[in-house]
C-alpha cells in the first residue's frame, strides 16, 4: 500500500490529517497533544503519526515547504489513503497593518502566483477556497476558546526571497491578509480529489512592520492554533 512518499499501510492514517510544514513539528504535535501515538512514515524524514485526541483518531503529517511538496503529500493522502479532511497548520507573514504577531489567520481562499493550476487547463483563473464546513467549525471553535481569528484571503507564494521587495504590496492593496507557501495547492488538490481542506496560520512575521515573533510567542500562539485544529478534527 505504501506510496512513493508515504510508507504507511492502508488504515494506518486517520480520515483527518493535520499538516504542519515542518516534520519535527508533526512529531511535537503528536507527542504533545495526542495519545496512543503510532509513527507511520519516515521516508525523506517527512514524519507522520496517528494518535487519539478526545476519542477521535487523528493523524499529523509533515507537508514540507512550498506547493510542490504539499501537493505531493496531500495528493497521496487523499487518493491513496482515503483521507477526507486536511487541515494545514502553519505560519505566515502579515500583509496588513492590523495583523499582529501571534494572531491567528484562517485562509478562506488562497490567491497564488504559482503555475500549479495550469495542470487543470481551465479557460480562466480558478479560485482555490477552503471547505466551508471546516471553516465554519474552526470559527466556532475559536470563539469557544476565546481566540480572536482573522478570516479572509491569503497568498500562497512560490517565492520567499522575492527579487522585488515590494511585490507583496499589490496583494496588500487587494485586501489579502497574509502570505504563506502551501494553501492554494492544498485547496486545489482537495477540490479535484473530493476532500475537505482548511488552512490555519499564526502570524510569525510582518512584511509591514518587519517585526518577528520570539520563540516564546511562537510557543503560546502555536498552542491556540493547534487547539482550534484539533477541536474540529
Ligand atoms: N513569506 C512566506 N511564507 C511565510 C512567511 C513569509 O513572509 N512567513 C511565514 N511563512
Amino acid at each position: 500500500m505504501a506510496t512513493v512518499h508515504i510508507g504507511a499501510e492502508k488504515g494506518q492514517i486517520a480520515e483527518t490529517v493535520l499538516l504542519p510544514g515542518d516534520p519535527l513539528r508533526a512529531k511535537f504535535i503528536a507527542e504533545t497533544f495526542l495519545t496512543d501515538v503510532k509513527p507511520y512514515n519516515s521516508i525523506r524524514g517527512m514524519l507522520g503519526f496517528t494518535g487519539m485526541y478526545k476519542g477521535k483518531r487523528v493523524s499529523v503529517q509533515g507537508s514540507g515547504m512550498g506547493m510542490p511538496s504539499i501537493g505531493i503529500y496531500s495528493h497521496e493522502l487523499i487518493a491513496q489513503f482515503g483521507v477526507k479532511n486536511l487541515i494545514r497548520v502553519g505560519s505566515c507573514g502579515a500583509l496588513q497593518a492590523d495583523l499582529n504577531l501571534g494572531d491567528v489567520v484562517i485562509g478562506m481562499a488562497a490567491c497564488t502566483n504559482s503555475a500549479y493550476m495550469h495542470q487543470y487547463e481551465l479557460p480562466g483563473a480558478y479560485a482555490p477556497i477552503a471547505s466551508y464546513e471546516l471553516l465554519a467549525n474552526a470559527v466556532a471553535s475559536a470563539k469557544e476558546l476565546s481566540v480572536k481569528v482573522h478570516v479572509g484571503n491569503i497568498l500562497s507564494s512560490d517565492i520567499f526571497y522575492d527579487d522585488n521587495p515590494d511585490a507583496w504590496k499589490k496583494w496588500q492593496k487587494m485586501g489579502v491578509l497574509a502570505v504563506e507557501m502551501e494553501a492554494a495547492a492544498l485547496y486545489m488538490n482537495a477540490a479535484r480529489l473530493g476532500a475537505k481542506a482548511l488552512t490555519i496560520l499564526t502570524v510569525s512575521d510582518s512584511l509591514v512592520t518587519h517585526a518577528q515573533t520570539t520563540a516564546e510567542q511562537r510557543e503560546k500562539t502555536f498552542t491556540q492554533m493547534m487547539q482550534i485544529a484539533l477541536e474540529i478534527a
Side-chain angles (χ1 to χ4, degrees):
M1 177 59 221
T3 58
V4 180
H5 304 94
I6 303 176
E9 293 306 317
K10 191 98 189 155
Q12 281 191 306
I13 303 178
E15 282 200 350
T16 297
V17 179
L18 270 46
L19 293 156
D22 178 356
L24 290 179
R25 184 132 281 189
K27 184 166 191 270
F28 175 82
I29 292 166
E31 287 171 351
T32 308
F33 298 100
L34 305 183
T35 58
D36 306 311
V37 175
K38 291 187 181 66
Y40 64 76
N41 186 52
S42 62
I43 296 173
R44 288 180 186 249
M46 205 56 83
L47 307 176
F49 304 86
T50 298
M52 299 295 291
Y53 180 80
K54 294 191 181 172
K56 295 174 294 192
R57 205 158 162 265
V58 184
S59 294
V60 194
Q61 170 67 54
S63 73
M65 289 184 286
M67 284 176 269
S69 189
I70 199 166
I72 288 169
Y73 291 101
S74 59
H75 192 285
E76 291 181 10
L77 288 171
I78 302 166
Q80 315 298 327
F81 293 98
V83 170
K84 305 279 185 234
N85 306 300
L86 299 93
I87 305 167
R88 162 163 156 70
V89 284
S91 62
C92 64
L95 299 183
Q96 303 291 337
D98 64 345
L99 256 68
N100 297 310
L101 296 184
D103 281 4
V104 178
V105 175
I106 301 183
M108 187 158 82
C111 307
T112 188
N113 55 20
S114 151
Y116 197 86
M117 73 174 65
H118 294 186
Q119 65 181 302
Y120 306 115
E121 299 180 11
L122 298 163
Y126 182 75
I129 55 166
S131 148
Y132 179 73
E133 186 184 329
L134 291 182
L135 174 66
N137 288 345
V139 170
S141 130
K143 197 166 183 189
E144 206 139 285
L145 295 162
S146 300
V147 177
K148 183 186 152 198
V149 291
H150 305 264
V151 181
N153 222 339
I154 57 174
L155 168 64
S156 299
S157 179
D158 269 347
I159 308 158
F160 189 86
Y161 297 108
D162 202 307
D163 195 52
N164 174 2
D166 291 328
W168 62 274
K169 290 180 180 167
K170 301 209 169 158
W171 297 103
Q172 180 191 48
K173 279 197 268 185
M174 291 304 289
V176 176
L177 300 177
V179 56
E180 51 86 79
M181 307 185 80
E182 292 82 15
L186 173 65
Y187 288 177
M188 285 187 266
N189 273 359
R192 178 68 183 86
L193 301 169
K196 293 180 181 143
L198 183 68
T199 294
I200 310 176
L201 306 163
T202 56
V203 176
S204 61
D205 56 273
S206 170
L207 282 81
V208 184
T209 66
H210 304 290
Q212 291 193 333
T213 37
T214 62
E216 195 185 342
Q217 279 170 317
R218 276 199 292 276
E219 194 70 29
K220 179 170 166 284
T221 55
F222 173 78
T223 301
Q224 293 181 332
M225 171 174 71
M226 285 315 309
Q227 280 172 331
I228 297 170
L230 286 164
E231 287 301 326
I232 66 168

